[in-house]
Amino acid sequence: MSPVLSPLQIMERLVAFPTVSRDTNLPLVDWVQAYLDSHGIVSHRWVDPDQPHKAAVFAHVGPMVEGAVVLSGHTDVVPVDGQPWDSDPFTVVERDGKYFGRGTCDMKGFDALAIWALVEAHRRGVARPLQLALSFDEEIGCTGAPPMIVEMQKHLPKGSAAIIGEPSMMGAVTGHKGGVGYRTHMVGFEVHSSLMHTGVSAIMQGARLIDWANQRNIENMAKAPGEIQALFNPPFTTCHVGMISGGTAHNITAKDCEFMMDFRVVPGEQAADWEAAYLAKVKEVEAEMQAVHPDARIEITQSFDVPALVPEEAGEAEALVRALTGDNATHVVSYGTEAGQFQAAGYSAVICGPGDIAQAHQPNEFVTVAQFNAGHAFMTRLVDRLAD
């Protein structure tokens, strides 16, 4: 049996793997499985058949019965390209009461704590089981968790309470918005811009869809929010275009224009309704484009779909986290996480992890030593509770 590593030592190992979403995470998965195996813990991996260089890893300790607490994190991180770091992003550096490094906050700090807790629970023995679930591709739309959750239930007894360790300052976050995104490709017809009425500008027609989003935002902002929606900032569904490209020259009607149309949907509204509204507008614009030239068209591809985390009535996961942290405040967030996917799969779910989301994705990303230690104390109390 290998030495038991501290949470900090585990975080140092995890951060050293540059698991940017565009690259492989297999070396990290290999290390996690080898470390768990060295402590007698059987783990499983699920390799994405469409991306064989990426995998999820999950494990179970304690009695082989249903009802486990699940500690869930993701292994991928965002790029560091172009960011002005003061130290190597893939080396944990302690400075001024903070641990710096890509992923220390989002979310390899929690991953390290969860791995430590799993080994500790196995070493001590627990009456209620504990599970570890580490996904991939969270940062590009939470696409890695759903197949992992399905695969977990083929190999492990189903857990009941999932703690998703996104940075929440160790508070119990019980709700977040859903998210759905559509890659929109406008295909126009090129002519000289002096004769633009005989052509179809993909950019100018795309601007109509973008302005549709602007108008929906104005309408949503003016509405009185419901009780649940009022918890969020902002308290309404938002429509957003964050990327756009197209055109070849200033005096040619653009043949191509591509952009991402994203919706962050408040609980109580359905992403499917927003999809239907958007596609109806797409159909309207496309018909007018084709009236000018039949080759013009609009191609829509869904890029991600993340369900909302809905606050639960007497939620098991929420009650557990509140008992372990003493936090009785109400917390919701506007970003999406894998918590909604666990909830949709029948788990009680809550978000609780060390660090401040404001530090995520930033140059010189960090988690404070105090927050990391608070996470360690949380895991110690969790193992104590499972052992009773």
Side-chain angles (χ1 to χ4, degrees):
M1 183 175 295
S2 68
V4 176
L5 300 180
S6 70
L8 176 57
Q9 289 172 320
I10 297 173
M11 180 170 69
E12 289 172 338
R13 300 286 173 77
L14 298 182
V15 169
F17 295 105
T19 52
V20 175
S21 299
R22 65 185 175 224
D23 300 322
T24 183
N25 73 334
L26 293 185
L28 182 149
V29 171
D30 290 341
W31 183 87
V32 171
Q33 290 199 283
Y35 180 66
L36 295 181
D37 181 68
S38 73
H39 291 282
I41 299 173
V42 176
S43 63
H44 307 266
R45 76 167 62 190
W46 180 79
V47 177
D48 185 347
D50 297 322
Q51 303 180 99
H53 61 295
K54 295 183 179 181
V57 58
F58 48 89
H60 175 111
V61 299
M64 292 298 289
V65 297
E66 295 188 350
V69 174
V70 182
L71 300 176
S72 168
H74 60 81
T75 61
D76 58 318
V77 296
V78 296
V80 299
D81 307 43
Q83 293 188 332
W85 283 75
D86 295 332
S87 57
D88 180 358
F90 300 108
T91 300
V92 175
V93 174
E94 182 179 355
R95 186 173 66 249
D96 301 326
K98 302 168 184 175
Y99 294 125
F100 292 89
R102 174 57 87 224
T104 51
C105 177
D106 184 20
M107 59 181 300
K108 290 180 177 178
F110 177 85
D111 294 347
L113 292 164
I115 293 168
W116 177 88
L118 193 77
V119 171
E120 183 69 6
H122 181 66
R123 187 185 66 81
R124 289 182 52 184
V126 287
R128 180 180 179 181
L130 183 65
Q131 292 180 356
L132 173 74
L134 301 179
S135 69
F136 60 93
D137 280 359
E138 190 273 348
E139 296 292 4
I140 58 174
C142 295
T143 57
M148 176 190 71
I149 294 169
V150 170
E151 198 69 15
M152 285 172 64
Q153 295 176 64
K154 295 178 183 178
H155 295 274
L156 308 178
K158 185 173 181 178
S160 60
I163 301 172
I164 289 75
E166 293 284 359
S168 71
M169 296 297 288
M170 297 308 299
V173 173
T174 57
H176 67 61
K177 292 185 178 183
V180 61
Y182 301 93
R183 185 171 292 105
T184 303
H185 180 198
M186 312 291 298
V187 181
F189 181 70
E190 291 177 307
V191 298
H192 193 281
S193 60
S194 65
L195 298 173
M196 62 176 292
H197 66 292
T198 64
V200 178
S201 169
I203 291 176
M204 296 185 73
Q205 294 299 321
R208 295 177 60 191
L209 296 179
I210 295 172
D211 187 57
W212 174 88
N214 286 330
Q215 295 305 312
R216 300 293 80 71
N217 285 332
I218 293 171
E219 293 172 4
N220 288 348
M221 192 178 302
K223 294 178 182 176
E227 182 178 356
I228 293 179
Q229 290 82 9
L231 298 173
F232 291 84
N233 181 25
F236 53 85
T237 294
T238 56
C239 315
H240 177 251
V241 173
M243 299 173 62
I244 186 168
S245 63
T248 55
H250 74 92
N251 59 351
I252 304 173
T253 56
K255 181 178 181 180
D256 291 285
C257 177
E258 294 189 19
F259 55 87
M260 289 289 298
M261 180 69 72
D262 298 348
F263 302 93
R264 294 203 178 259
V265 184
V266 290
E269 296 184 7
Q270 302 301 316
D273 294 336
W274 282 98
E275 176 181 356
Y278 182 53
L279 293 183
K281 184 64 179 180
V282 166
K283 185 176 181 180
E284 173 191 324
V285 172
E286 184 178 57
E288 294 181 19
M289 293 166 62
Q290 291 178 340
V292 178
H293 197 282
D295 289 342
R297 63 188 184 277
I298 305 175
E299 300 170 350
I300 302 292
T301 305
Q302 187 178 88
S303 58
F304 65 89
D305 183 4
V306 182
L309 174 64
V310 181
E312 300 171 3
E313 185 82 26
E316 178 191 354
E318 175 187 350
L320 174 61
V321 166
R322 292 195 186 282
L324 294 172
T325 62
D327 175 30
N328 291 313
T330 299
H331 308 286
V332 298
V333 294
S334 292
Y335 56 83
T337 78
E338 295 170 340
Q341 295 169 325
F342 272 93
Q343 188 178 67
Y347 296 75
S348 175
V350 69
I351 299 167
C352 184
D356 186 339
I357 192 63
Q359 305 306 323
H361 305 182
Q362 298 297 308
N364 296 321
E365 175 184 347
F366 67 84
V367 63
T368 65
V369 174
Q371 273 289 296
F372 192 68
N373 290 344
H376 189 188
F378 174 90
M379 292 299 179
T380 300
R381 290 192 292 270
L382 173 61
V383 174
D384 288 343
R385 189 181 185 93
L386 298 180
D388 288 341

